[in-house]
Amino acid sequence: MAVKTSEKLHQLREVLAEVSDLSRAALLLEWDQETYMPPGGVQGRAEQLSTLLKLAHVRLTSDEVGHLLDDLEEEYADAPFDSDEASIVRVTRRDYDQGRKLPAELIAEAAHASSMGRPAWEKARHEADFSIFAAALEKNVELNRRIADALGYKERPYDALLDRSEPGMTTGELAAIFDELKQAIVPLVADIARHAGAVDDAMLYRGYDPDLQLSYALDVVKRLGYDLERGRQDLSTHPFSTGISPGDARITTRVSRDFFNECLFGSIHEAGHSMYNQGMGAGIDRTPLWDGASPGIHESQSRFWENLVGRSRPFWRHFYPSLQSVFPDSLRGVDEEAFYRAVNKSQPSFIRVEADEVTYNMHILLRFELENELLEGKLAIKDVPEAWNARFKSYLGLDVPNDREGALQDIHWSFVGFGIFPGYTIGNLVSAQLMEKVRADIPDLDAQIEQGQFATLLGWLRKNVHVHGRKFTPNELLERATGKPLTAKPWIAYVRKKFGALYGLSDRAAG
Ligand code: ZN
């Protein structure tokens, strides 16, 4: 019996290894597309990617895989839940079922609509005119709804789309969490606005040599624990990270002479993603388990390093003297405390990707609400800009000047991909939830960071998060690592304390 069992699992793992190789080859082509590919390569690259991804999908959803899963589920019924074997069977089953539920024509139609949506969105954004994009968005909403119907759901169509990116999470759970955030953050944002003068960040715009910024950022992420024997840094318009294999987890960054934050914090963010990939267990390589538990959990790792570590006082106590020696002119007369305050400036702004820690989640809440209303037919396409602007005013206190800085700013609605945005907020919340447990387990964490020692911290994340890859759903992972499912409380406590102190808010207002 034991021989038969290992034979079937061996067969499944051979198929999964092929699927993984095809997907990883596609990742490398995508990386190249965003970094070095000449403009003329667009058409050929789209064809290559489509071929590779189609082959991977066909292989994963084949009858052969279905039969192997049926047998293996029986044979491994008593295997420990967290064993590699039981987890490979369980997670492959989830991917297989979802893949089989979506008809090939629907996938093709969605891919086509996405490629048509991109130029419509670009033109509309360029002209700041939502009406140019309305028809494409209408089509995308319809396709999102058909995908939700094909996948199936109990209560709300969004459940199906959310479950695809954040397995096990429901719209209702998330709506309750967002509501809690709204109650806490809207007054905090208003309070900070009344004390806006407390933080001055003018020195961040004083001019920083780009080459020096790049080498400084690379040195910092190396010292955090990003392994350059198994990674590299390149330039791209939009920074991203790519986990191609355990030996190859890359980051890209961008650099601006006129604004310091972009290169360093962008590099730390992407290195946080890539350190996650570098820490995944060897036993799950070339299986569906070798990936982040979800986009939200992946984002928790980048936000953890970027904000909870990189924007902390102990971090700058360690790094500021060396930064100042690299940029003596731009940082003349600026002390460590002033610099720490500057990189934490909070101010409502129109563009999500530029938003600070406090205001960021409000941008996501707004999109979560609108996606749900569109999907359920409660909001007409033509009314999107008005709904956007009204909510923006109520959550962040700003009057949106035009659609470019409003409903048209993100690329996400140009393709068929509702359900992705919440991952950004989940990432923020999870980073604080993990940090709360890290502090309990490593009481001298701040002293270690002040000394520039990050190995114990990285070791904790490796053991509790990284090594598991996709073995667990987000809530299973959080229960194991922190004893609780996803909660907004640690994050709310963290921003109230940090920004209350930064802006000199009263305890009542801040607490
Ligand atoms: Zn990220």
Side-chain angles (χ1 to χ4, degrees):
M1 280 304 280
V3 175
K4 189 181 158 219
T5 297
S6 67
E7 258 170 31
K8 291 238 155 123
L9 189 63
H10 182 71
Q11 281 176 32
L12 179 67
R13 285 194 70 144
E14 281 197 338
V15 177
L16 297 177
E18 286 177 14
V19 172
S20 158
D21 291 346
L22 289 165
S23 314
R24 287 170 171 187
L27 282 177
L28 180 59
L29 291 184
E30 282 169 357
W31 173 86
D32 173 71
Q33 183 170 2
E34 302 297 324
T35 50
Y36 298 108
M37 190 184 80
V42 171
Q43 174 73 21
R45 187 53 48 87
E47 290 157 4
Q48 295 144 15
L49 282 168
S50 146
T51 298
L52 283 176
L53 294 173
K54 192 170 73 193
L55 286 174
H57 180 80
V58 167
R59 196 82 181 96
L60 179 69
T61 55
S62 64
D63 292 343
E64 181 197 357
V65 169
H67 296 315
L68 284 169
L69 285 172
D70 289 343
D71 293 345
L72 285 165
E73 275 168 348
E74 212 168 294
E75 288 165 22
Y76 282 93
D78 298 325
F81 184 82
D82 58 358
S83 65
D84 286 353
E85 293 80 7
S87 302
I88 286 171
V89 174
R90 184 176 67 247
V91 173
T92 304
R93 164 63 76 187
R94 194 171 74 211
D95 292 352
Y96 172 86
D97 283 351
Q98 286 198 340
R100 294 276 285 207
K101 279 180 188 165
L102 295 176
E105 314 83 71
L106 182 53
I107 295 176
E109 207 180 328
H112 181 72
S114 296
S115 59
M116 302 305 286
R118 173 87 176 245
W121 168 73
E122 275 168 357
K123 183 164 193 288
R125 191 170 88 126
H126 183 254
E127 295 181 20
D129 180 357
F130 181 83
S131 68
I132 297 171
F133 178 56
L137 182 59
E138 181 125 48
K139 183 72 189 162
N140 287 352
V141 170
E142 180 214 315
L143 283 160
N144 275 304
R145 198 179 295 133
R146 281 166 57 196
I147 288 173
D149 289 341
L151 292 171
Y153 53 86
K154 281 205 195 92
E155 288 180 13
R156 301 176 67 175
Y158 204 79
D159 286 338
L161 304 178
L162 189 61
D163 188 61
R164 204 153 63 128
S165 51
E166 303 290 331
M169 233 163 246
T170 68
T171 314
E173 277 166 7
L174 212 51
I177 285 173
F178 272 123
D179 211 46
E180 199 179 344
L181 282 175
K182 188 162 34 173
Q183 306 296 330
I185 301 310
V186 171
L188 181 62
V189 169
D191 233 9
I192 290 174
R194 280 191 291 274
H195 297 75
V199 174
D200 174 15
D201 66 348
M203 85 289 275
L204 300 176
Y205 301 86
R206 271 185 201 161
Y208 293 81
D209 178 80
D211 289 333
L212 289 177
Q213 284 191 67
L214 284 167
S215 59
Y216 190 82
L218 195 58
D219 188 50
V220 168
V221 297
K222 208 159 71 183
R223 288 165 64 189
L224 297 178
Y226 177 50
D227 179 1
L228 283 161
E229 286 295 311
R230 300 187 290 142
R232 55 176 287 127
Q233 183 188 49
D234 295 271
L235 291 172
S236 66
T237 318
H238 303 285
F240 66 98
S241 66
T242 307
I244 295 169
S245 75
D248 186 355
R250 309 176 183 197
I251 62 174
T252 71
T253 190
R254 62 179 164 192
V255 59
S256 151
R257 178 181 291 275
D258 301 322
F259 183 42
F260 174 79
N261 288 7
E262 249 174 34
C263 179
L264 181 68
F265 291 107
S267 298
I268 297 176
H269 180 101
E270 301 307 335
H273 281 301
S274 274
M275 286 192 280
Y276 186 6
N277 283 105
Q278 289 182 338
M280 287 172 191
I284 58 174
D285 185 26
R286 295 175 90 210
T287 77
L289 303 187
W290 198 90
D291 204 345
S294 73
I297 299 294
H298 229 307
E299 191 68 5
S300 79
Q301 297 308 292
S302 56
R303 294 302 233 173
F304 190 101
W305 290 100
E306 178 195 356
N307 288 334
L308 285 92
V309 175
R311 284 189 164 89
S312 74
R313 217 180 236 116
F315 180 91
W316 285 109
R317 197 150 294 155
H318 178 74
F319 280 106
Y320 191 69
S322 67
L323 184 75
Q324 202 173 25
S325 74
V326 174
F327 301 104
D329 295 336
S330 308
L331 293 174
R332 181 161 297 129
V334 177
D335 65 13
E336 172 202 312
E337 177 65 15
F339 190 78
Y340 161 74
R341 295 173 70 80
V343 298
N344 282 294
K345 186 178 174 71
S346 170
Q347 189 174 42
S349 59
F350 297 109
I351 304 299
R352 172 184 65 87
V353 296
E354 293 162 9
D356 61 78
E357 272 187 279
V358 179
T359 56
Y360 191 94
N361 292 323
M362 291 295 103
H363 289 259
I364 303 301
L365 165 64
L366 162 85
R367 289 156 176 78
F368 172 73
E369 291 178 343
L370 295 183
E371 285 188 356
N372 266 292
E373 288 167 24
L374 285 168
L375 213 52
E376 294 175 3
K378 293 175 182 162
L379 175 65
I381 301 288
K382 65 174 174 40
D383 298 329
V384 166
E386 203 186 316
W388 180 289
N389 298 349
R391 250 167 266 224
F392 214 88
K393 176 81 176 172
S394 124
Y395 299 160
L396 290 166
L398 295 180
D399 293 304
V400 177
N402 58 59
D403 293 343
R404 188 188 302 128
E405 289 173 81
L408 290 173
Q409 65 180 268
D410 290 296
I411 195 170
H412 299 56
W413 286 347
S414 78
F415 53 86
V416 182
F418 277 13
I420 291 174
F421 276 120
Y424 294 112
T425 283
I426 292 170
N428 289 328
L429 304 186
V430 169
S431 69
Q433 189 173 340
L434 291 172
M435 184 53 112
E436 190 179 70
K437 186 63 166 58
V438 167
R439 289 196 176 282
D441 290 353
I442 312 174
D444 67 337
L445 180 73
D446 285 347
Q448 291 190 20
I449 293 177
E450 270 186 49
Q451 299 295 315
Q453 291 166 6
F454 301 96
T456 315
L457 175 58
L458 181 58
W460 191 98
L461 293 170
R462 288 256 191 275
K463 174 169 170 272
N464 290 285
V465 181
H466 300 179
V467 73
H468 303 304
R470 275 179 87 213
K471 205 175 252 192
F472 307 116
T473 65
N475 271 332
E476 285 165 1
L477 185 79
L478 285 169
E479 292 266 10
R480 293 172 68 99
T482 72
K484 286 173 228 156
L486 179 69
T487 157
K489 291 184 175 58
W491 186 83
I492 291 172
Y494 157 74
V495 291
R496 276 178 170 161
K497 186 169 171 216
K498 178 174 175 179
F499 291 88
L502 272 166
Y503 282 88
L505 309 180
S506 71
D507 281 349
R508 191 201 54 78

